[in-house]
Amino acid sequence: MNNLFSNLTQVVKNLLIINIICFVGSMIFTPANKLFGVYYPDSPSFQVWQIITYMFMHGGIGHIFFNMFALIMFGPIIERVFGSKRFLNYYIICGLGALVLQYGVQAWEVNEILGTPFGKDQLVYYSQGNFSGYVPSSSLNHLSQVDMNTLVSIYNVPMVGASGAIYGLLLAFAMLFPNLELQLLFIPVPIKAKYFVPGLILIEIYLGFSQSGSSIAHLAHVSGALFGFLLIKIWGIKRGYH
């Protein structure tokens, strides 16, 4: 374990520290995820800084553990190939890119319900018990409960986590080292990166479209990987092992 952490590259180490500090801070200051998680741009709760800060916030121990585990496993080898500055740019851009597809689908869902992707003027602030947030106004009482729940979720639930950037790292690893075999706890045999990562992305695409309203932003994961693919192609970075 000591050898593992001693081999961390500089940017990976700093990202790990920042994520852990932010997670501990969110446990102490519980509104942190609502302040620094990212909302749908039309939500009254959206703030421009959230497009950066959201990728350093996490929703629980399991969430941050798996993201940081992947960062430790795949980040150093990619940083050594890219160089530290380009690696950091890649990580941040994949995190930003993760929002593109997620926002696109949310805008489509809002438009399907309200006839416009900009529906905040049809919402009212409501607070009772453990809930406080924006809900459809009385003029939208004709909507189904499913549509009501979708709007409440989109406008009130922030997205948090480094998963979009992490999927960018997974994609980079599969492109640069396609034939390296991964030994995973939940798969009894080694599997090459070029099979594992695309398989994982296909699962995320399926879940993203089959579980609309899920608290897990599956399409953000896919979008992070897509932006990673585009960056590697634009930068002309070649495979490490064939």
Side-chain angles (χ1 to χ4, degrees):
M1 184 63 72
N2 289 335
N3 187 55
L4 174 66
F5 285 100
S6 66
N7 287 330
L8 291 182
T9 46
Q10 191 60 47
V11 173
V12 168
K13 186 183 298 182
N14 288 336
L15 288 172
L16 182 64
I17 292 170
I18 293 170
N19 274 276
I20 292 174
I21 289 174
C22 288
F23 180 72
V24 173
S26 71
M27 295 295 99
I28 298 171
F29 181 62
T30 52
N33 278 354
K34 290 186 176 181
L35 289 173
F36 301 113
V38 67
Y39 289 84
Y40 179 55
D42 189 51
S43 171
S45 299
F46 174 80
Q47 301 292 338
V48 68
W49 66 73
Q50 295 169 352
I51 64 175
I52 294 293
T53 58
Y54 93 93
M55 65 184 85
F56 299 101
M57 311 303 294
H58 287 86
I61 292 290
H63 192 198
I64 190 173
F65 173 80
F66 285 108
N67 277 343
M68 295 304 98
F69 180 77
L71 176 63
I72 291 170
M73 290 294 100
F74 300 103
I77 191 171
I78 298 170
E79 184 176 343
R80 291 186 180 100
V81 173
F82 284 8
S84 294
K85 183 177 180 180
R86 179 170 281 185
F87 174 80
L88 180 60
N89 289 337
Y90 180 86
Y91 184 92
I92 297 297
I93 291 171
C94 286
L96 294 173
L99 298 174
V100 174
L101 189 55
Q102 182 71 12
Y103 278 164
V105 171
Q106 288 179 325
W108 177 82
E109 289 181 319
V110 174
N111 187 70
E112 285 292 296
I113 296 170
L114 301 177
T116 172
F118 309 106
K120 68 180 177 183
D121 292 338
Q122 301 179 62
L123 305 176
V124 294
Y125 186 79
Y126 176 81
S127 179
Q128 183 174 342
N130 293 325
F131 176 83
S132 60
Y134 298 89
V135 300
S137 66
S138 57
S139 65
L140 298 175
N141 285 342
H142 62 282
L143 295 178
S144 69
Q145 190 60 51
V146 172
D147 286 344
M148 290 277 197
N149 292 341
T150 297
L151 290 175
V152 169
S153 176
I154 289 174
Y155 279 89
N156 293 285
V157 180
M159 184 170 75
V160 296
S163 299
I166 295 300
Y167 268 73
L169 297 187
L170 291 174
L171 190 282
F173 186 84
M175 290 183 69
L176 299 175
F177 308 97
N179 291 316
L180 283 186
E181 294 184 334
L182 303 174
Q183 182 69 61
L184 305 163
L185 294 176
F186 53 89
I187 299 178
V189 294
I191 181 170
K192 291 183 178 180
K194 65 181 178 183
Y195 300 129
F196 172 71
V197 174
L200 201 59
I201 292 172
L202 287 175
I203 291 172
E204 292 292 339
I205 293 173
Y206 169 76
L207 293 175
F209 285 103
S210 65
Q211 296 183 5
S212 177
S214 168
S215 61
I216 301 174
H218 297 288
L219 294 176
H221 303 170
V222 176
S223 195
L226 174 61
F227 269 73
F229 174 83
L230 293 174
L231 282 174
I232 290 172
K233 288 297 184 181
I234 291 170
W235 290 341
I237 298 174
K238 303 301 183 182
R239 292 179 177 179
Y241 295 98
H242 297 277

PDB file of all heavy atoms in Angstrom, residues 74-86:
ATOM      1  N   PHE A  74      -5.466   4.356 -12.407  1.00  0.00           N
ATOM      2  CA  PHE A  74      -5.263   4.697 -13.818  1.00  0.00           C
ATOM      3  C   PHE A  74      -4.619   6.064 -14.029  1.00  0.00           C
ATOM      4  O   PHE A  74      -4.010   6.301 -15.073  1.00  0.00           O
ATOM      5  CB  PHE A  74      -6.601   4.646 -14.563  1.00  0.00           C
ATOM      6  CG  PHE A  74      -7.262   3.296 -14.521  1.00  0.00           C
ATOM      7  CD1 PHE A  74      -8.332   3.059 -13.672  1.00  0.00           C
ATOM      8  CD2 PHE A  74      -6.808   2.264 -15.315  1.00  0.00           C
ATOM      9  CE1 PHE A  74      -8.951   1.805 -13.627  1.00  0.00           C
ATOM     10  CE2 PHE A  74      -7.410   1.014 -15.277  1.00  0.00           C
ATOM     11  CZ  PHE A  74      -8.481   0.783 -14.424  1.00  0.00           C
ATOM     12  N   GLY A  75      -4.758   6.964 -13.042  1.00  0.00           N
ATOM     13  CA  GLY A  75      -4.258   8.315 -13.226  1.00  0.00           C
ATOM     14  C   GLY A  75      -2.757   8.436 -13.438  1.00  0.00           C
ATOM     15  O   GLY A  75      -2.320   9.099 -14.387  1.00  0.00           O
ATOM     16  N   PRO A  76      -1.929   7.796 -12.585  1.00  0.00           N
ATOM     17  CA  PRO A  76      -0.478   8.002 -12.717  1.00  0.00           C
ATOM     18  C   PRO A  76       0.088   7.603 -14.075  1.00  0.00           C
ATOM     19  O   PRO A  76       0.918   8.322 -14.637  1.00  0.00           O
ATOM     20  CB  PRO A  76       0.087   7.120 -11.595  1.00  0.00           C
ATOM     21  CG  PRO A  76      -0.994   7.098 -10.562  1.00  0.00           C
ATOM     22  CD  PRO A  76      -2.267   7.064 -11.356  1.00  0.00           C
ATOM     23  N   ILE A  77      -0.346   6.469 -14.604  1.00  0.00           N
ATOM     24  CA  ILE A  77       0.214   6.017 -15.886  1.00  0.00           C
ATOM     25  C   ILE A  77      -0.193   6.957 -17.015  1.00  0.00           C
ATOM     26  O   ILE A  77       0.585   7.233 -17.929  1.00  0.00           O
ATOM     27  CB  ILE A  77      -0.229   4.556 -16.185  1.00  0.00           C
ATOM     28  CG1 ILE A  77       0.575   4.017 -17.373  1.00  0.00           C
ATOM     29  CG2 ILE A  77      -1.728   4.458 -16.443  1.00  0.00           C
ATOM     30  CD1 ILE A  77       0.360   2.533 -17.593  1.00  0.00           C
ATOM     31  N   ILE A  78      -1.405   7.526 -16.921  1.00  0.00           N
ATOM     32  CA  ILE A  78      -1.859   8.460 -17.949  1.00  0.00           C
ATOM     33  C   ILE A  78      -1.146   9.797 -17.796  1.00  0.00           C
ATOM     34  O   ILE A  78      -0.761  10.423 -18.793  1.00  0.00           O
ATOM     35  CB  ILE A  78      -3.388   8.639 -17.876  1.00  0.00           C
ATOM     36  CG1 ILE A  78      -4.077   7.305 -18.133  1.00  0.00           C
ATOM     37  CG2 ILE A  78      -3.860   9.682 -18.894  1.00  0.00           C
ATOM     38  CD1 ILE A  78      -5.556   7.306 -17.854  1.00  0.00           C
ATOM     39  N   GLU A  79      -0.936  10.244 -16.553  1.00  0.00           N
ATOM     40  CA  GLU A  79      -0.207  11.495 -16.345  1.00  0.00           C
ATOM     41  C   GLU A  79       1.220  11.392 -16.872  1.00  0.00           C
ATOM     42  O   GLU A  79       1.760  12.359 -17.437  1.00  0.00           O
ATOM     43  CB  GLU A  79      -0.190  11.861 -14.858  1.00  0.00           C
ATOM     44  CG  GLU A  79       0.485  13.205 -14.595  1.00  0.00           C
ATOM     45  CD  GLU A  79       0.438  13.645 -13.144  1.00  0.00           C
ATOM     46  OE1 GLU A  79      -0.381  13.085 -12.379  1.00  0.00           O
ATOM     47  OE2 GLU A  79       1.223  14.552 -12.774  1.00  0.00           O
ATOM     48  N   ARG A  80       1.845  10.235 -16.730  1.00  0.00           N
ATOM     49  CA  ARG A  80       3.216  10.064 -17.237  1.00  0.00           C
ATOM     50  C   ARG A  80       3.243  10.121 -18.761  1.00  0.00           C
ATOM     51  O   ARG A  80       4.218  10.593 -19.346  1.00  0.00           O
ATOM     52  CB  ARG A  80       3.792   8.742 -16.740  1.00  0.00           C
ATOM     53  CG  ARG A  80       4.067   8.737 -15.232  1.00  0.00           C
ATOM     54  CD  ARG A  80       4.778   7.482 -14.777  1.00  0.00           C
ATOM     55  NE  ARG A  80       5.025   7.516 -13.333  1.00  0.00           N
ATOM     56  CZ  ARG A  80       4.285   6.884 -12.431  1.00  0.00           C
ATOM     57  NH1 ARG A  80       3.251   6.134 -12.826  1.00  0.00           N
ATOM     58  NH2 ARG A  80       4.568   6.978 -11.151  1.00  0.00           N
ATOM     59  N   VAL A  81       2.194   9.642 -19.413  1.00  0.00           N
ATOM     60  CA  VAL A  81       2.129   9.695 -20.876  1.00  0.00           C
ATOM     61  C   VAL A  81       1.824  11.113 -21.348  1.00  0.00           C
ATOM     62  O   VAL A  81       2.457  11.630 -22.281  1.00  0.00           O
ATOM     63  CB  VAL A  81       1.056   8.716 -21.417  1.00  0.00           C
ATOM     64  CG1 VAL A  81       0.868   8.908 -22.926  1.00  0.00           C
ATOM     65  CG2 VAL A  81       1.446   7.278 -21.114  1.00  0.00           C
ATOM     66  N   PHE A  82       0.851  11.767 -20.709  1.00  0.00           N
ATOM     67  CA  PHE A  82       0.396  13.092 -21.141  1.00  0.00           C
ATOM     68  C   PHE A  82       1.344  14.216 -20.709  1.00  0.00           C
ATOM     69  O   PHE A  82       1.460  15.229 -21.394  1.00  0.00           O
ATOM     70  CB  PHE A  82      -0.982  13.398 -20.543  1.00  0.00           C
ATOM     71  CG  PHE A  82      -2.129  12.684 -21.214  1.00  0.00           C
ATOM     72  CD1 PHE A  82      -1.930  11.712 -22.176  1.00  0.00           C
ATOM     73  CD2 PHE A  82      -3.429  12.990 -20.864  1.00  0.00           C
ATOM     74  CE1 PHE A  82      -2.990  11.049 -22.772  1.00  0.00           C
ATOM     75  CE2 PHE A  82      -4.517  12.342 -21.458  1.00  0.00           C
ATOM     76  CZ  PHE A  82      -4.285  11.366 -22.414  1.00  0.00           C
ATOM     77  N   GLY A  83       1.973  14.037 -19.561  1.00  0.00           N
ATOM     78  CA  GLY A  83       2.629  15.152 -18.897  1.00  0.00           C
ATOM     79  C   GLY A  83       1.634  15.790 -17.944  1.00  0.00           C
ATOM     80  O   GLY A  83       0.421  15.746 -18.172  1.00  0.00           O
ATOM     81  N   SER A  84       2.122  16.399 -16.867  1.00  0.00           N
ATOM     82  CA  SER A  84       1.250  16.870 -15.790  1.00  0.00           C
ATOM     83  C   SER A  84       0.270  17.949 -16.241  1.00  0.00           C
ATOM     84  O   SER A  84      -0.916  17.909 -15.901  1.00  0.00           O
ATOM     85  CB  SER A  84       2.091  17.392 -14.624  1.00  0.00           C
ATOM     86  OG  SER A  84       2.809  16.328 -14.031  1.00  0.00           O
ATOM     87  N   LYS A  85       0.733  18.933 -16.990  1.00  0.00           N
ATOM     88  CA  LYS A  85      -0.137  20.037 -17.398  1.00  0.00           C
ATOM     89  C   LYS A  85      -1.257  19.535 -18.301  1.00  0.00           C
ATOM     90  O   LYS A  85      -2.431  19.873 -18.099  1.00  0.00           O
ATOM     91  CB  LYS A  85       0.678  21.115 -18.110  1.00  0.00           C
ATOM     92  CG  LYS A  85      -0.150  22.332 -18.509  1.00  0.00           C
ATOM     93  CD  LYS A  85       0.717  23.410 -19.148  1.00  0.00           C
ATOM     94  CE  LYS A  85      -0.122  24.620 -19.546  1.00  0.00           C
ATOM     95  NZ  LYS A  85       0.730  25.685 -20.180  1.00  0.00           N
ATOM     96  N   ARG A  86      -0.908  18.729 -19.297  1.00  0.00           N
ATOM     97  CA  ARG A  86      -1.928  18.220 -20.212  1.00  0.00           C
ATOM     98  C   ARG A  86      -2.863  17.263 -19.495  1.00  0.00           C
ATOM     99  O   ARG A  86      -4.071  17.228 -19.777  1.00  0.00           O
ATOM    100  CB  ARG A  86      -1.268  17.539 -21.414  1.00  0.00           C
ATOM    101  CG  ARG A  86      -2.268  16.958 -22.395  1.00  0.00           C
ATOM    102  CD  ARG A  86      -1.607  16.500 -23.679  1.00  0.00           C
ATOM    103  NE  ARG A  86      -1.339  17.622 -24.554  1.00  0.00           N
ATOM    104  CZ  ARG A  86      -0.851  17.496 -25.798  1.00  0.00           C
ATOM    105  NH1 ARG A  86      -0.557  16.289 -26.272  1.00  0.00           N
ATOM    106  NH2 ARG A  86      -0.647  18.554 -26.543  1.00  0.00           N
TER     107      ARG A  86
END
